[in-house]
Amino acid sequence: MDKLLITGGNRLHGEVVISGAKNAALPILCASLLTADPVQLRNVPSLKDISTTLRLLQQMGVQHHWDGPAQLTLNAGNVTSLEAPYELVKTMRASILVLGPLLARFGEAKVSLPGGCAIGQRPVDQHIKGLTAMGAEIRIEHGFVIAKAKRLKGATIRTDMVTVTGTENLMMAAVLAEGRTILENAAREPEITDLAELLIKMGARIQGHGTDRIVIEGVERLHGAEHTIVADRIEAGTFLCAVGATGGDITLRQAAPDTLGAVLDKLREAGLSIECGPDWIRGQMNKRPKAVSFRTYEYPAFPTDMQAQLMALNTMAEGTAVIAENIFENRFMHVQELRRMGAQIDIDGHTAVVTGVPELSGATVMATDLRASASLVIAGLAASGQTTVERIYHLDRGYEHMEEKLRLIGADIQRLKQEPA
């Protein structure tokens, strides 16, 4: 298992190119199942979760080839299997996103119940509720969701909670359903808007994406399309937290500042000087950050995927911050690792109270999930001495060449390859 060795204390200066968003790319890859024509994608990030999804689609008969860096063509003209097996689904919850497309285009699907990061319960019952309302017959058997429907029929679906993958799955199912589907209480994330924009290019009739009420008029078939995946707002926010912790001056290229409102607000509150253009963000920091309190909620509020990174910034800030995690119940697993570096954090249920210390000290720490990994890297960049971050396979699931990008802007960070015992 690889690990990162970080020597802290370097200020960050220079430019970072932001990759395509993992959370947009994964449903978009699955959307290729909705048509027999080629789907051409640009700005596809090179990540573990992407390669896992491509392996899953390939096992179903979907052909893919890389046309160049970050350019990918998929062709689902000859699908041979309607099953998503446990071995591939267990590592990545987003695999459930093949359920809606398979059911919509082929009338059946067999998808293993998913895995992914151990950050809390993320049940698929809302997916099943919505597809059942559209006329599907669904049963859970031997750890699989087994679904059948001659042709899905439009329905009004109001999910019990805001669910990103639920909204994506139901939207993909509805585009080929008979009649009108209305998704109430829909998620509003930019990644959902990006998926909707691709589906519209493929011939889908969708309105209201980006709001909590999406209206879809089903069509008989979809065709191929070309699409550029939106920039990764979480990667951008992570690099801004890093320069907030270390000090310096960085510019993010190919970014999407209009997707980062709540994050930029909090970083400005912490003391970062931030300027934005249409596709760039400049962040400057020349002082100790100020503590900022926040609560995580669904978009457009502060994202749970940035909670760990801003907590890392708060550990070295002036003052005390109160952080409430309202999305996932197990998303404070990075706290005990930050404490190993000298952070002062008290946990009470879903709330963390972070009292900033003047300096963290390097230590050996262990990543427990994707965003926790990023928080430990940020802490290591600012800490005195050396920090070793172990189990960084989590990091590779969601950040493209993170240590290389950090080295280019002045970080002392290297990947240590570990051969299996």
Side-chain angles (χ1 to χ4, degrees), residues 118-300:
I119 56 176
Q121 293 182 26
R122 301 197 278 185
V124 298
D125 59 329
Q126 299 303 303
H127 305 236
I128 293 169
K129 171 186 173 179
L131 292 170
T132 301
M134 296 169 73
E137 295 177 9
I138 299 179
R139 66 186 192 276
I140 309 290
E141 208 171 82
H142 306 301
F144 281 87
V145 179
I146 300 171
K148 291 194 174 180
K150 222 170 209 180
R151 186 181 179 189
L152 294 172
K153 300 200 182 307
T156 297
I157 303 163
R158 182 177 180 83
T159 51
D160 298 340
M161 65 195 78
V162 177
T163 160
V164 174
T165 53
T167 299
E168 291 164 343
N169 231 343
L170 297 175
M171 186 164 65
M172 287 191 284
V175 293
L176 292 178
E178 183 183 338
R180 172 181 290 187
T181 299
I182 300 173
L183 303 181
E184 302 274 12
N185 201 29
R188 295 183 279 170
E189 271 71 6
E191 295 78 18
I192 286 171
T193 300
D194 204 39
L195 172 62
E197 293 297 337
L198 167 68
L199 294 172
I200 290 166
K201 291 174 187 174
M202 294 168 69
R205 297 171 62 191
I206 304 172
Q207 292 182 311
H209 44 292
T211 76
D212 61 2
R213 186 177 189 268
I214 303 175
V215 180
I216 304 125
E217 299 284 352
V219 297
E220 287 287 335
R221 65 178 295 275
L222 297 181
H223 51 72
E226 296 182 18
H227 184 71
T228 300
I229 290 166
V230 71
D232 193 324
R233 61 195 170 101
I234 305 303
E235 184 190 25
T238 299
F239 276 97
L240 290 172
C241 282
V243 77
T246 63
D249 184 348
I250 66 170
T251 299
L252 309 181
R253 299 293 181 191
Q254 296 179 29
D258 57 338
T259 65
L260 275 161
V263 173
L264 298 182
D265 287 349
K266 285 298 172 183
L267 289 172
R268 286 188 176 107
E269 199 180 315
L272 267 83
S273 170
I274 295 175
E275 300 173 71
C276 299
D279 61 354
W280 59 269
I281 306 170
R282 183 182 182 189
Q284 297 171 277
M285 191 67 162
N286 295 305
K287 56 192 173 186
R288 184 180 175 190
K290 287 187 167 58
V292 286
S293 298
F294 63 95
R295 297 169 172 268
T296 64
Y297 283 113
E298 293 87 4
Y299 190 86

Side-chain angles (χ1 to χ4, degrees), residues 7-185:
T7 302
N10 289 6
R11 290 166 65 84
L12 302 180
H13 290 274
E15 295 191 353
V16 178
V17 177
I18 297 301
S19 301
K22 171 183 87 89
N23 289 341
L26 297 178
I28 281 173
L29 293 179
C30 296
S32 68
L33 288 164
L34 288 164
T35 178
D37 298 338
V39 175
Q40 295 175 290
L41 302 174
R42 294 177 295 272
N43 205 29
V44 182
S46 176
L47 300 169
K48 181 68 174 170
D49 277 8
I50 297 294
S51 59
T52 300
T53 303
L54 290 175
R55 278 171 55 215
L56 173 60
L57 293 172
Q58 188 172 23
Q59 187 162 310
M60 293 176 174
V62 180
Q63 296 178 331
H64 74 269
H65 60 88
W66 291 94
D67 306 313
Q71 296 183 55
L72 180 68
T73 298
L74 299 111
N75 191 322
N78 187 30
V79 170
T80 54
S81 170
L82 304 178
E83 179 176 335
Y86 175 69
E87 344 25 299
L88 290 173
V89 175
K90 68 180 179 181
T91 61
M92 190 182 64
R93 183 179 183 273
S95 304
I96 194 69
L97 289 167
V98 300
L99 177 60
L102 288 176
L103 195 53
R105 183 172 162 213
F106 300 102
E108 60 181 289
K110 182 180 179 183
V111 180
S112 175
L113 289 168
C117 281
I119 56 176
Q121 293 182 26
R122 301 197 278 185
V124 298
D125 59 329
Q126 299 303 303
H127 305 236
I128 293 169
K129 171 186 173 179
L131 292 170
T132 301
M134 296 169 73
E137 295 177 9
I138 299 179
R139 66 186 192 276
I140 309 290
E141 208 171 82
H142 306 301
F144 281 87
V145 179
I146 300 171
K148 291 194 174 180
K150 222 170 209 180
R151 186 181 179 189
L152 294 172
K153 300 200 182 307
T156 297
I157 303 163
R158 182 177 180 83
T159 51
D160 298 340
M161 65 195 78
V162 177
T163 160
V164 174
T165 53
T167 299
E168 291 164 343
N169 231 343
L170 297 175
M171 186 164 65
M172 287 191 284
V175 293
L176 292 178
E178 183 183 338
R180 172 181 290 187
T181 299
I182 300 173
L183 303 181
E184 302 274 12
N185 201 29

